[in-house]
Amino acid sequence: MKFSASTRDVQGSGASRRLRRAGQVPAIIYGGDKEPQVIALDHNQIYHDLRKDAFHSSILTIDVDGKGQQVLLRAVQWHPYKQQVLHVDFQRVRAGEKITTRVPLNYINGDDSPAVKLHSQVISHVAVDLEITCLPKDLPVSIEVDLANLEAGMNFTLAQLELPAGVEYVGTEEDPLLAAALAVRGSAAADEGEDDAEGEEAAAE
């Protein structure tokens, strides 16, 4: 994904306000072996780009005054109540250096799973993304989670997921829960479970 920017020489809150009034967004590019670079973006362009999921987890090419740089989106500051982007941070990436970022999960085939088709359960997507590390060339836009074999009442954890080549999980949880098949309250399966629990309580008494 490519987009354009221009350098800006003046910094500070007053300069940033003037940029915003002119339909631009102050931003910064940092990292790598270069000094941080302050830039200005077109507000309409960056606003629409930020609505694309891929923009948040892809290597981006930013053209600054005719010179391209590869970057990752790192932070976005929004106006508290207006649909307005206030500031954007980008980090430079280098081909031979690993990057650490969060990548969205794309759940597929849940409706074809035994939990849904045979038992009319619902699947809860517990995690929406994963923190991973990889070389820039191996960065996936998203990671597919195939739920076709999810059985009733079962969980799907990271241990059951085959990550793309070159991608490693670096989150804090050892084996995070990604999805779970849950009985719908009021269904036969859920009622049966409640009856079993009540029976166990009565026996204990």
Side-chain angles (χ1 to χ4, degrees):
M1 300 184 69
K2 298 181 180 181
F3 61 106
S4 300
S6 58
T7 54
R8 56 186 175 100
D9 299 324
V10 182
Q11 300 183 52
S13 57
S16 294
R17 284 194 294 269
R18 288 192 292 274
L19 272 178
R20 296 182 188 113
R21 285 196 293 267
Q24 295 183 297
V25 179
I28 188 170
I29 304 173
Y30 63 86
D33 55 359
K34 298 180 181 179
E35 291 295 317
Q37 183 178 17
V38 289
I39 58 173
L41 308 169
D42 177 77
H43 183 272
N44 287 341
Q45 179 186 6
I46 193 66
Y47 176 83
H48 289 293
D49 284 341
L50 288 169
R51 297 172 68 87
K52 304 171 185 175
D53 290 340
F55 194 81
H56 294 258
S57 58
S58 300
I59 302 297
L60 310 171
T61 299
I62 182 169
D63 187 309
V64 183
D65 296 335
K67 296 181 180 180
Q69 302 183 53
Q70 288 197 315
V71 299
L72 269 179
L73 175 67
R74 282 307 191 192
V76 182
Q77 182 183 354
W78 291 87
H79 192 281
Y81 56 87
K82 295 180 181 178
Q83 293 296 305
Q84 182 183 9
V85 185
L86 298 180
H87 195 275
V88 186
D89 291 2
F90 298 99
Q91 180 183 357
R92 296 184 185 95
V93 298
R94 301 173 68 179
E97 293 183 0
K98 286 189 174 184
I99 53 177
T100 299
T101 189
R102 302 194 75 87
V103 174
L105 298 175
N106 178 29
Y107 292 94
I108 63 172
N109 298 325
D111 289 343
D112 295 325
S113 67
V116 174
K117 292 191 74 173
L118 302 181
H119 301 278
S120 300
Q121 293 195 340
V122 296
I123 297 178
S124 172
H125 298 164
V126 179
V128 297
D129 57 23
L130 279 180
E131 187 173 14
I132 59 99
T133 185
C134 64
L135 291 173
K137 68 180 181 65
D138 295 324
L139 179 65
V141 174
S142 63
I143 297 175
E144 283 196 349
V145 182
D146 191 346
L147 301 175
N149 297 318
L150 188 63
E151 297 287 344
M154 299 301 291
N155 293 332
F156 192 104
T157 68
L158 179 64
Q160 298 164 261
L161 178 66
E162 184 176 352
L163 292 173
V167 173
E168 298 177 34
Y169 168 71
V170 292
T172 55
E173 294 183 63
E174 183 176 346
D175 186 22
L177 176 64
L178 305 184
L182 306 173
V184 179
R185 191 165 185 80
S187 67
D191 291 343
E192 183 178 340
E194 290 179 1
D195 290 343
D196 290 344
E198 290 174 359
E200 292 175 1
E201 288 178 4
E205 293 175 357

